[in-house]
Amino acid sequence: MPKILIVGGGYAGFYTAWKLEKHLRKREAEVTMVDPLPYMTYQPFLPEVAAGSIEARHALVAHRRHLGRTNVITAKVTGIDHANKVATITPPLGEPYEFAYDQIVVTAGAVSRTFPIPGIADNAIGLKTIEEAVAVRDKLMSNFDKAAALPAGPERDRLLTVVVVGGGFAGIEVFAELRSLASSLVGKYPQLSFEDTHFHLIEAMGRIMPEVSQKTSEWVLKDLAKRGAYVHLDTQVQGAEGGNVALSTGEVIPTDLIIWTAGVMANPTVVRGGDLPAEERGRIQTRADLRVGTAEAFVEGAWAAGDVSAVPDLSGGGVGGYCVPNAQHAVRQAKRLAKNLTAVLRGEETKDYFHKNLGAVAGLGLYNGVFQSGNLALKGFVAWIAHRGYHGLAMPTWERKWRVLWGWWNNLWLGRDLVNLETVQHPRRVFEEFAARPRPAADAAPAAKPAEKPAAEKPPVKKAPAKKAPAKPAVSAAEAAKAASK
């Protein structure tokens, strides 16, 4: 059987494997998917996970549960030698090994793109993984606990200040969701007031959310201002050291939580670790039919999709002529890729990927959102319903859909779950604190006894004469018998 290797188990990787299981006949091909994580993350739900509106596990799709005919390997692909059709797989334990394949599908996704700004690498956190979303939520809630025990002052203000860098969809959504969470938390802390909380979003461009119209973007700005959030346009971050975010305007914002959402880049480990062609932005050069290569020629046996690839946008709506890196394109590209790959295995023709953007929808906290499709714009509660409806249906598999929908239903009647589990990030802390340990060895060996002098040097010792024991009086046998009878 031909061997198909899928590199990455995110949107594009999971959907490619999922649809190949549907299209391929039994024993028509052997499919292997390699990803360092055992699950796919539905990233549009990360802002709601950070705000506690969705349980973290419900935003994930377990590979092994839903890919019954795919060989799933939890490891990293650290090298691709497509000239010899061999990939290097590095497991979490053990030595790297080579994996031979006939067809390779690169869907390694993207990672946060940062700049060499002092302090960002050490103090900021991204929003590309479920672990980051959970950490952001727990950090904010822990800061409320700490701030409530402090008197009003600079330290309390710093704990209750959140800075988000990047005004795209991801940045605006997490910014608005956290603002909504903080507003609900204030009511649980009598020591704190709404005015004690401070939210700042930093955007280098002159507007936010370029995916929507200028009018809709301005409405979002006004809505955020009403909720006590500040948006700094045409502003760059110049430093983030010592808990202080320095801006190009000269302003310095003390904060304990910096969230970086200012762009993404194709996974550099996979792109640079292989011999597949890449374009100037570091993405794998991909044709409209999702084979690696250019319109004039393709690389035999190589495919790519999702954020790691530069796929031409035949609808004409893409920036620079390419599909923008979002979930909408990744899912649909994966479905087309699975069909095209199956067609190639059967000697049939491929079809180009064509998808016109359906629009953009964003949640801005509980009961508030924005939706844009062409000239149609929805705002407020109606847009929030559209947001949840779209993403609820887009979540893969009915098993995961029901978990998300059930959580939303419970929260509607029970409210947000405000349990803070930041200590999960240090699970052994309490055990280590009270665990009994063996006594440490003595710091120094006991003092040695002074050496004795040689016998020749010892002074002579005079021995006292032995004393003789006094002689006992003789006892006759008759007297002894009489004493014994008594």
Side-chain angles (χ1 to χ4, degrees), residues 343-421:
V344 167
L345 293 178
R346 296 172 182 172
E348 300 170 359
E349 294 296 322
T350 63
K351 294 182 180 179
D352 288 344
Y353 168 75
F354 178 88
H355 172 69
K356 190 173 182 180
N357 196 341
L358 298 177
V361 61
L364 302 177
L366 283 181
Y367 316 121
N368 195 16
V370 63
F371 170 79
Q372 179 91 44
S373 180
N375 294 325
L376 175 63
L378 302 176
K379 309 175 187 71
F381 181 75
V382 176
W384 179 77
I385 293 294
H387 162 74
R388 286 207 161 177
Y390 173 80
H391 287 298
L393 293 174
M395 183 73 178
T397 82
W398 278 104
E399 179 257 339
R400 305 318 286 176
K401 283 179 173 61
W402 280 116
R403 292 185 188 274
V404 172
L405 293 172
W406 185 246
W408 281 339
W409 176 256
N410 287 335
N411 287 346
L412 179 64
W413 305 106
L414 303 176
R416 295 179 193 266
D417 190 341
L418 299 181
V419 175
N420 172 18
L421 292 178

Side-chain angles (χ1 to χ4, degrees), residues 6-347:
I6 302 175
V7 182
Y11 284 118
F14 173 82
Y15 268 92
T16 298
W18 199 28
K19 296 304 177 182
L20 281 174
E21 290 188 358
K22 177 182 177 182
H23 299 312
L24 291 172
R25 293 186 288 265
K26 190 176 181 179
R27 297 189 61 80
E28 188 173 7
E30 179 183 310
V31 181
T32 299
M33 187 179 73
V34 182
D35 191 278
L37 297 173
Y39 50 77
M40 183 208 93
T41 303
Y42 191 75
Q43 293 183 7
F45 281 157
L46 292 182
E48 288 199 64
V49 171
S53 297
I54 294 179
E55 167 62 34
R57 286 184 177 87
H58 296 173
L60 308 174
V61 180
H63 290 156
R64 286 181 170 83
R65 173 161 185 170
H66 297 284
L67 296 176
R69 294 167 52 197
T70 301
N71 178 28
V72 177
I73 300 177
T74 304
K76 291 182 178 180
V77 172
T78 52
I80 298 174
D81 180 8
H82 191 67
N84 297 303
K85 291 192 175 181
V86 172
T88 301
I89 297 178
T90 303
L93 295 175
E95 296 297 321
Y97 60 92
E98 292 186 341
F99 184 94
Y101 60 84
D102 299 291
Q103 302 279 339
I104 189 169
V105 180
V106 183
T107 55
V111 298
S112 296
R113 176 174 59 94
T114 59
F115 306 101
I117 301 172
I120 287 295
D122 299 321
N123 300 313
I125 186 171
L127 197 72
K128 288 289 292 178
T129 68
I130 197 70
E131 294 82 3
E132 289 172 327
V134 172
V136 165
R137 175 179 181 267
D138 289 341
K139 180 72 169 179
L140 179 62
M141 298 182 70
S142 290
N143 283 355
F144 266 77
D145 292 333
K146 296 173 185 177
L150 293 175
E155 181 60 20
R156 192 168 83 170
D157 288 341
R158 187 180 71 85
L159 290 170
L160 298 178
T161 298
V162 175
V163 173
V164 176
V165 184
F169 255 66
I172 290 296
E173 283 194 288
V174 72
F175 185 63
E177 290 284 357
L178 292 180
R179 172 69 271 182
S180 178
L181 171 61
S183 299
S184 64
L185 284 176
V186 167
K188 309 297 181 183
Y189 294 86
Q191 307 91 337
L192 304 176
S193 66
F194 180 87
E195 289 72 22
D196 293 327
T197 60
H198 313 283
F199 280 73
H200 298 268
L201 185 136
I202 317 301
E203 170 53 47
M205 306 297 290
R207 59 164 297 183
I208 60 171
M209 304 176 75
E211 299 89 343
V212 301
S213 66
Q214 181 70 34
K215 185 178 180 181
T216 302
S217 172
E218 291 173 355
W219 179 88
V220 174
L221 287 175
K222 293 177 181 177
D223 181 73
L224 291 172
K226 291 178 183 177
R227 296 156 63 186
Y230 300 91
V231 178
H232 305 255
L233 298 177
D234 294 314
T235 305
Q236 296 86 37
V237 175
Q238 296 185 331
E241 297 179 296
N244 296 302
V245 176
L247 306 181
S248 57
T249 58
E251 184 179 0
V252 176
I253 305 174
T255 180
D256 194 49
L257 180 55
I258 307 169
I259 305 169
W260 183 274
T261 64
V264 296
M265 64 179 180
N267 190 321
T269 302
V270 173
V271 176
R272 297 172 188 169
D275 56 357
L276 296 176
E279 44 91 68
E280 60 273 9
R281 296 188 61 184
R283 298 173 296 181
I284 294 177
Q285 187 69 55
T286 310
R287 291 156 43 102
D289 64 356
L290 302 171
R291 286 192 276 197
V292 174
T294 63
E296 293 74 26
F298 63 87
V299 179
E300 179 67 39
W303 308 75
D307 295 355
V308 77
S309 63
V311 179
D313 189 345
L314 301 183
S315 71
V319 179
Y322 294 103
C323 296
V324 296
N326 62 22
Q328 194 176 134
H329 279 302
V331 170
R332 286 164 174 79
Q333 287 171 6
K335 293 178 180 179
R336 170 47 53 194
L337 192 157
K339 291 180 179 179
N340 282 350
L341 180 49
T342 302
V344 167
L345 293 178
R346 296 172 182 172

